[in-house]
Structures are given as structure tokens and as C-alpha cells.
Amino acid sequence: AASPNGSFSILFTVPSMPNGTYAVKAVDSYGDFATAYFTESTVPVQGAALKYASSIAYVENGSASFNATQSVGVSVSISGASVPDNYPISISASMLNGVPAGIMPTAVKASGYYDISITGLDTGVALLSITNPYVYPDASVTIVYWNGNSWVSASNITVSGHTVSGYVPVKSLSGTPVAVIVTYTVTFTETGIPPGTSWSVTFNGMTELSSTSTITFTGVPPGNYSWSAPSLVSVTQSERASSIGVTSGTLEISSNAQVSVPYVLQYAVSFESIPSNGGTTYPNVTEWVNAGSSIQLFARPASGYRFVGWETNYSIIFANASAIYTSAKVNSAGVIAAEFKQIPSYTIYYVTVAIV
């Protein structure tokens, strides 16, 4: 049945139809009619409402409220309105599937788009409270609204649990796109690299360098991101840090994140024989050894030589410096030398004496 002013509403179901725009025409018994249009599309319309709620509110003492937290995740509290008491206004809120067509996206990926409309009132200020699963007290959170030309931040932002709140002038909420911007901090912390040594992390294609133990990326929206750190970090020509853990992967960011990147300091240890033709050592090429760990040694004298002992002028400690087979604890880069000595050779002459 129509209202006294002739308006009415009706709910009906449209069977499956091809994509396109259709018209619905209603005609009464007097021949008067009205036409409405709708679009059928299997592709979601950009900025379409996923959830919607509306209500008539009445202003009392300059205040009115609207709570659609359960259905849409939005509540509105109006204060400072300059209208008589019991003044009716219409408030609606929608959760959108993205930024509406024709509106530039925010500079930072939004964690939720909404449409909030206050009809019949253009004075006062509205406290918007939006509940969103990405909102956390330790995240960087703000509410922005579209003023027709650009995104403007709401004022006095507060966060409680998963709810962010901020103030927007009522006159700016006439079917206004609103976005919740949530960003997080991702911190990478290394261990094992000597202080003052430069190292790096590449996160989401951006590389940051640091000579401290941490590298931090801020303003990271929720999402999945790739990262990597070098497996080897040069300290000096004879010192380096080698990774002992994961140095790349993908992070799913939905809160502030901490990533540990462990390294171990390594020293370059080289070997020599004294004299060079006196014998050989094993190892016989430069090796990188973890700081404080031990390396196994073996000396093989050349023909005509004997092994004397192991020598070094560095912080390398031999288990037994006089043993052909031994080990050495490496506390610095350096050279390990095996000393050999030539075995003296003797010629024996025989004299035959005849006694007559």
C-alpha cells in the first residue's frame, strides 16, 4: 500500500539474468507509474556495498547516535548540532568492496572502505567509530574521508581494541567515502655481526642499510611481503659474518612483526709450510672458521724432512703443537704454519786394510 504522499516499497526476487541494465515499472489503477533501474552483473561493481544499515535518529540537546557496529562495523555519535529537539535526521553506513569509482585511492592501501551519510543535518561534529579486524592499539591507525578533491584525516584519533574513532564535521558526511588506514612496523634484528658493521635487508623490493643491530620498515599495510638478507656479510678482508638461519621468505603482516636474522662470526685461516718444500698441511687452502670453534690439522713431511711442530702468531690455540695430528681453537684470523726440518744425511766410508 502506498503512503499518503504516494510512495511505497516492495521486495521481489529477480531470476538469473544476463549482465545488463534493467528497468522496473510500477503502474497503479489510475495509470500513474514510476520507473526504477537496476544493473545485473556477475562482476562486483567497484565501491559496491557489502553490508548496509540505516536509521532515523532524533536530535536531542544537539546530539544523536546511530549504532550499526554489529551489522556494518560503524557507529556514529553526533554532538553540537544546531537544530531543535526531536529533530529527525537520517543516518546510513555501508561497508564497501573497495574505493568507489572516480575517487583516487588513498596513498596507503586502505584496510577498509565505508560510505557514511547523514541526511537532514549540516551542523555539528560526528564521532565515527569503526571496528575492523586489522585495527590494533600498537598499529598506526587513522580514519580519512573524501572531501570531493582529496582524502582528509579525521581529528583526535583514538584506538581501543579493534575499534578506531575520530571526529569528522557532519556537513562532510553526505554519502562520503571513508577509509580506515592501518599500517604496521616490521623490525629485523641481527645477532652475531660485530657492532658498526653495515648489513642490509630487502623488504617488498626496498633495501635498507644499517650499522646497528636493527632495520625497521614503517607504514606497512596488511598483506603478504617478500624479504631477504645477505647470507654473508663482509666485516674485514679476513673476517665475515655467515648466516645460521633463514635469510629470505614471505611474511603475512597483520600486526607489528619482529624477524630474527642470526649470524656467526667467521675468521679466515690460511696455512703454510716452513720451509715450503719441507712438507704439506691439511687443510692446505684458506678456510673460514666459526669464531671460537676448532679445526683439525695434519702435517705430512716431505721425503728427507721431519715434522717439528705447529706455529702461529695469532689467537689460535693448539691442542698439541708438537703432534702431527692435532686441533686448533680459532679465536682470530691468522696463519697456521707447520715447521719441518731436514733430516741430516751421512756418508759412511769403508777402509779395507791388508795386513801382511
Side-chain angles (χ1 to χ4, degrees):
S3 65
N5 63 8
S7 65
F8 68 94
S9 63
I10 187 170
L11 178 65
F12 60 92
T13 301
V14 179
S16 178
M17 302 173 67
N19 290 350
T21 300
Y22 298 89
V24 177
K25 185 177 181 180
V27 183
D28 64 14
S29 58
Y30 297 99
D32 296 324
F33 66 90
T35 303
Y37 297 88
F38 69 92
T39 299
E40 170 72 12
S41 175
T42 55
V43 179
V45 177
Q46 183 177 346
L50 299 174
K51 298 178 180 180
Y52 174 82
S54 65
S55 178
I56 300 297
Y58 294 89
V59 179
E60 295 288 343
N61 298 319
S63 302
S65 63
F66 166 77
N67 191 339
T69 301
Q70 294 299 318
S71 57
V72 182
V74 175
S75 68
V76 181
S77 297
I78 298 171
S79 60
S82 301
V83 293
D85 287 349
N86 205 36
Y87 185 85
I89 60 175
S90 176
I91 306 176
S92 65
S94 302
M95 178 188 293
L96 308 180
N97 66 1
V99 61
I103 296 177
M104 293 293 294
T106 62
V108 178
K109 179 183 176 183
S111 297
Y113 285 102
Y114 303 83
D115 186 289
I116 300 175
S117 177
I118 300 175
T119 304
L121 184 67
D122 60 4
T123 62
V125 64
L127 175 63
L128 307 183
S129 296
I130 301 176
T131 301
N132 184 294
Y134 289 111
V135 172
Y136 284 93
D138 61 349
S140 174
V141 187
T142 190
I143 297 173
V144 294
Y145 62 95
W146 182 255
N147 69 358
N149 297 301
S150 61
W151 292 97
V152 180
S153 294
S155 60
N156 297 330
I157 297 293
T158 59
V159 176
S160 177
H162 292 298
T163 301
V164 57
S165 301
Y167 290 89
V168 176
V170 168
K171 64 182 179 181
S172 298
L173 296 173
S174 55
T176 303
V178 173
V180 173
I181 306 297
V182 182
T183 61
Y184 304 110
T185 298
V186 181
T187 302
F188 294 85
T189 303
E190 63 80 13
T191 55
I193 298 178
T197 303
S198 179
W199 67 296
S200 66
V201 172
T202 299
F203 178 79
N204 195 34
M206 180 183 299
T207 300
E208 292 287 344
L209 300 173
S210 177
S211 55
T212 68
S213 62
T214 60
I215 294 177
T216 300
F217 295 85
T218 59
V220 180
N224 294 320
Y225 300 91
S226 62
W227 71 277
S228 64
S231 58
L232 295 174
V233 176
S234 177
V235 180
T236 66
Q237 187 174 359
S238 57
E239 296 181 15
R240 72 183 188 185
S242 178
S243 66
I244 53 174
V246 176
T247 56
S248 65
T250 300
L251 295 175
E252 182 179 354
I253 302 301
S254 58
S255 62
N256 291 340
Q258 301 280 341
V259 181
S260 176
V261 188
Y263 290 87
V264 62
L265 182 63
Q266 293 184 329
Y267 297 122
V269 179
S270 58
F271 305 88
E272 64 179 29
S273 298
I274 302 174
S276 59
N277 62 345
T280 56
T281 65
Y282 297 92
N284 56 14
V285 295
T286 299
E287 290 205 357
W288 289 96
V289 183
N290 293 349
S293 65
S294 295
I295 186 172
Q296 299 299 311
L297 303 175
F298 168 59
R300 174 176 290 173
S303 177
Y305 287 83
R306 65 180 177 85
F307 174 73
V308 176
W310 299 99
E311 295 182 354
T312 186
N313 291 326
Y314 302 90
S315 297
I316 299 173
I317 302 172
F318 300 107
N320 186 345
S322 60
I324 284 182
Y325 294 96
T326 191
S327 63
K329 185 176 182 180
V330 177
N331 295 313
S332 74
V335 179
I336 293 177
E339 183 181 3
F340 301 94
K341 282 191 175 181
Q342 191 171 23
I343 299 173
S345 59
Y346 301 93
T347 302
I348 299 176
Y349 296 94
Y350 295 92
V351 178
T352 301
V353 178
I355 300 176
V356 178

